[in-house]
Amino acid sequence: MSLVKKFMTVGGATLGSRIFGFARETLMAAALGTGPVADVFYAAFRFPNLFRRLFAEGAFNAAFVPLFAKEIEANGIDGAKRFSEEVFGVLFSVLLILTIGMQLSMPLLVQWIIAPGFADDPEKFDLTVRLAIVMFPYLMCMSLTAMLSGMLNSLHHFFAAAIAPVFLNVLMIGALGWALWTGADPAATAWALSWSVLGAGLLQMAVVYLGVRNAGIRIGFKRPRFTPNVKRLLVLAVPAAITGGITQINQLIGQAIASTKEGAISALQYADRIYQLPLGVVGVAVGVVLLPELARALKGGHMNEAKGLQNRSIEFVLFLTLPAAAAIWVLSDEIIRVLYERGAFSEQNTAVVASILAIYGIGLPGFVLIKALQPGYYAREDTKTPMRFTIVSVALNTGLAITLFPIFEESGIAMAEAAAGWTNTILLFSVLLWRGHLVFEWSLLTRTLRLIIASAIMAGLLVYLSDRWAAWLSPSSPLFDQLLALGGLIAIAMPVYFGIAFLIGGADWRLVRRSLQRRKKTADEAATTSPDPGQQ
């Protein structure tokens, strides 16, 4: 299967999850708006979500996958199974202790980390603590799910792991539908959502476990032991966990600062949901597929192939995210108005959330490029360098958020996150280039400039059309007309962008297709591929 088909498989499943996520957030906006209970729920949910990124996605996509791939190469499926069972035993035990400890410490965590601004409101503080206690076991479920997903990705079974997140949105939609149907009060709605999160974690774990069994590996529980393989995993995983959760870390910092203003946390969350669509469809797909492909090429000594995979992935990311960033920038008001402005979500809420979304649009290419650049380090079992860049990024984000929030309020936090994301991207790119793991190509630079031109022309067309169609996009129009107009803008913009991009040489589909095609190397080709001296 070609790399582009793998991107499409993961991206397509992620797209389905994000579409359900839109439906979820639309119902959330109608049920809770940006009121105090919405702030409480998102604050409580952010904490287990942070640890899910730290202990699950970051650690295991970065550390577990290369080691698992190495075990398959060296000892076959049986060796990989033994390694997986060793890791599962340790991971389960650590997560169980962590979950219990965090639940017991939740009042202190809410007061000092999650939402310091809630401390002066006993009702909000108490509800945040109780909801966080219910949802924190979601971390344990999702961390185990991430490990099983890493196994599936290494075995070229991408779909089950990619489709699993859909179940979180489906169960939360069910809870919100029940709340709206029965007219439940905001607190009851938040409780229903919290239990749906926990149920979704269990369901997602079951789905990927069945996927692993279907792939031919049965995982049994073994007494936790710190074997050499497990110790090596921990050495790689600790810095990778910090790095993998960079976005969540920055958002948690922003949340803590924003908790002093009512409605700020939920406003940031609603905007975050929109830009997560291209970030998930493109960034997650590239990161999930690229890491095992790079690891496999490097383990086989195919250094030129690895460099080619890295460059073509960057090209793929820019080709899809530059127009998405431009569209988000110019259509932020229309997107938020059509998707959210109803029920408890007012016109004033739209203005605030749209301003945040426009800033996230500027940061989008940087956020997605991080997903394409980090595998260049992780595949070489270097997790410390990205961690150092993450520390720089977090420090910058914290300083900017504290400085800008009193001036620009929620938009200041979005500015800080976007600046931190681009700083991280530049550092990752520069060091890969300096080390020779990334080959500078003038063609990549010139194609990027042409893609920017194509995106700018598309953005100008969107500004013109959105002004002409303003009556259809207004809140007074029927919802169907609003959706039809917004869909029409997107339907017109896409062929315009792609047509101009191909016409002026910003993209060449034949070249991209050939470059992304996984080449089957013969023994003679492998012998002539010179290994990188640093990898010998």
Side-chain angles (χ1 to χ4, degrees):
M1 182 187 290
S2 69
L3 204 63
V4 70
K5 289 181 180 177
K6 293 173 184 175
F7 289 161
M8 295 303 179
T9 298
V10 178
T14 306
L15 175 61
S17 175
R18 293 299 191 264
I19 289 172
F20 278 104
F22 278 140
R24 181 191 89 194
E25 294 301 323
T26 299
L27 291 173
M28 182 79 79
L32 300 177
T34 58
V37 175
D39 281 351
V40 165
F41 174 77
Y42 283 126
F45 186 41
R46 177 80 72 192
F47 201 55
N49 225 22
L50 166 67
F51 277 87
R52 173 177 66 84
R53 292 288 178 91
L54 294 179
F55 286 87
E57 295 176 4
F60 281 94
N61 277 331
F64 179 80
V65 169
L67 295 180
F68 185 81
K70 183 188 290 185
E71 282 296 322
I72 292 177
E73 290 285 335
N75 302 307
I77 294 296
D78 290 339
K81 178 179 180 294
R82 285 193 300 272
F83 173 60
S84 302
E85 289 178 335
E86 292 172 358
V87 173
F88 188 89
V90 172
L91 181 63
F92 181 88
S93 303
V94 169
L95 288 170
L96 182 61
I97 295 170
L98 177 69
T99 298
I100 295 172
M102 287 290 181
Q103 287 178 310
L104 293 174
S105 307
M106 199 58 69
L108 292 175
L109 293 171
V110 171
Q111 182 178 357
W112 294 104
I113 298 176
I114 299 175
F118 291 178
D120 296 331
D121 188 330
E123 188 175 348
K124 286 177 70 173
F125 180 84
D126 183 58
L127 184 58
T128 305
V129 169
R130 288 184 290 152
L131 294 182
I133 288 173
V134 170
M135 288 189 284
F136 201 82
Y138 176 73
L139 155 71
M140 185 169 185
C141 296
M142 292 311 300
S143 296
L144 297 173
T145 297
M147 175 192 161
L148 297 169
S149 297
M151 295 171 63
L152 286 173
N153 293 336
S154 297
L155 296 168
H156 302 292
H157 292 258
F158 295 102
F159 186 74
I163 202 68
V166 171
F167 295 104
L168 172 65
N169 292 321
V170 169
L171 265 64
M172 292 183 74
I173 287 171
L176 285 165
W178 166 83
L180 290 169
W181 180 264
T182 60
D185 62 66
T189 302
W191 275 111
L193 285 168
S194 298
W195 285 107
S196 71
V197 168
L198 179 57
L202 294 169
L203 185 57
Q204 287 173 258
M205 184 169 61
V207 168
V208 292
Y209 176 74
L210 291 175
V212 169
R213 290 191 60 171
N214 187 57
I217 298 182
R218 293 173 178 263
I219 300 293
F221 182 82
K222 287 189 174 181
R223 180 175 60 86
R225 292 187 304 115
F226 287 93
T227 63
N229 276 335
V230 172
K231 290 178 182 177
R232 177 60 179 161
L233 176 69
L234 292 176
V235 168
L236 295 174
V238 171
I242 298 171
T243 306
I246 174 60
T247 301
Q248 289 291 323
I249 292 171
N250 284 334
Q251 288 176 345
L252 184 66
I253 292 168
Q255 173 182 289
I257 296 169
S259 65
T260 57
K261 182 191 175 195
E262 186 169 306
I265 292 175
S266 49
L268 288 163
Q269 173 62 30
Y270 289 130
D272 176 77
R273 170 52 57 183
I274 304 296
Y275 94 86
Q276 284 291 335
L277 175 63
L279 177 60
V281 173
V282 183
V284 173
V286 170
V288 165
V289 173
L290 183 60
L291 178 55
E293 292 295 319
L294 275 177
R296 189 173 293 106
L298 291 170
K299 297 301 182 232
H302 309 313
M303 303 305 151
N304 293 335
E305 181 184 356
K307 293 174 183 177
L309 286 170
Q310 185 75 74
N311 279 22
R312 300 292 74 78
S313 296
I314 293 172
E315 225 171 70
F316 183 80
V317 163
L318 292 172
F319 179 59
L320 294 180
T321 56
L322 288 175
I328 287 174
W329 172 257
V330 301
L331 291 179
S332 57
D333 283 299
E334 289 80 2
I335 291 170
I336 298 301
R337 186 182 304 119
V338 172
L339 293 179
Y340 294 144
E341 194 173 312
R342 62 191 56 84
F345 200 96
S346 67
E347 183 179 350
Q348 184 180 1
N349 297 147
T350 294
V352 172
V353 177
S355 66
I356 298 170
L357 178 60
I359 296 165
Y360 279 152
I362 297 173
L364 175 64
F367 295 140
V368 181
L369 280 170
I370 289 171
K371 301 288 186 182
L373 294 169
Q374 284 178 343
Y377 296 89
Y378 297 155
R380 294 173 172 86
E381 298 184 15
D382 176 11
T383 56
K384 291 183 179 179
T385 301
M387 182 190 69
R388 295 187 186 105
F389 298 157
T390 296
I391 293 171
V392 173
S393 175
V394 169
L396 177 64
N397 176 69
T398 304
L400 287 176
I402 293 172
T403 303
L404 297 176
F405 183 69
I407 304 170
F408 300 104
E409 299 183 319
E410 300 94 329
S411 296
I413 291 175
M415 292 176 191
E417 290 180 16
W422 273 112
T423 300
N424 199 7
T425 299
I426 292 168
L427 290 171
L428 289 167
F429 181 87
S430 301
V431 173
L432 278 178
L433 195 63
W434 176 65
R435 291 178 176 177
H437 298 156
L438 182 67
V439 179
F440 179 78
E441 297 177 349
W442 278 108
S443 59
L444 176 60
L445 177 60
T446 57
R447 277 196 292 271
T448 300
L449 294 174
R450 292 186 179 106
L451 291 176
I452 292 173
I453 293 170
S455 300
I457 294 172
M458 179 204 72
L461 177 64
L462 286 174
V463 171
Y464 172 77
L465 289 177
S466 62
D467 183 60
R468 296 292 298 271
W469 297 359
W472 293 340
L473 291 163
S474 69
S476 58
S477 297
L479 178 59
F480 178 78
D481 289 353
Q482 295 180 50
L483 291 171
L484 190 64
L486 184 60
L489 289 173
I490 296 170
I492 292 172
M494 288 177 63
V496 167
Y497 166 75
F498 289 124
I500 294 173
F502 287 122
L503 182 65
I504 66 176
D508 183 338
W509 175 249
R510 290 171 299 176
L511 176 62
V512 172
R513 187 177 179 182
R514 286 198 303 268
S515 299
L516 287 173
Q517 186 72 35
R518 188 183 175 192
R519 291 164 294 185
K520 296 181 179 179
K521 292 182 176 290
T522 61
D524 290 340
E525 288 174 319
T528 57
T529 303
S530 55
D532 186 338
Q535 297 294 326
Q536 292 181 350

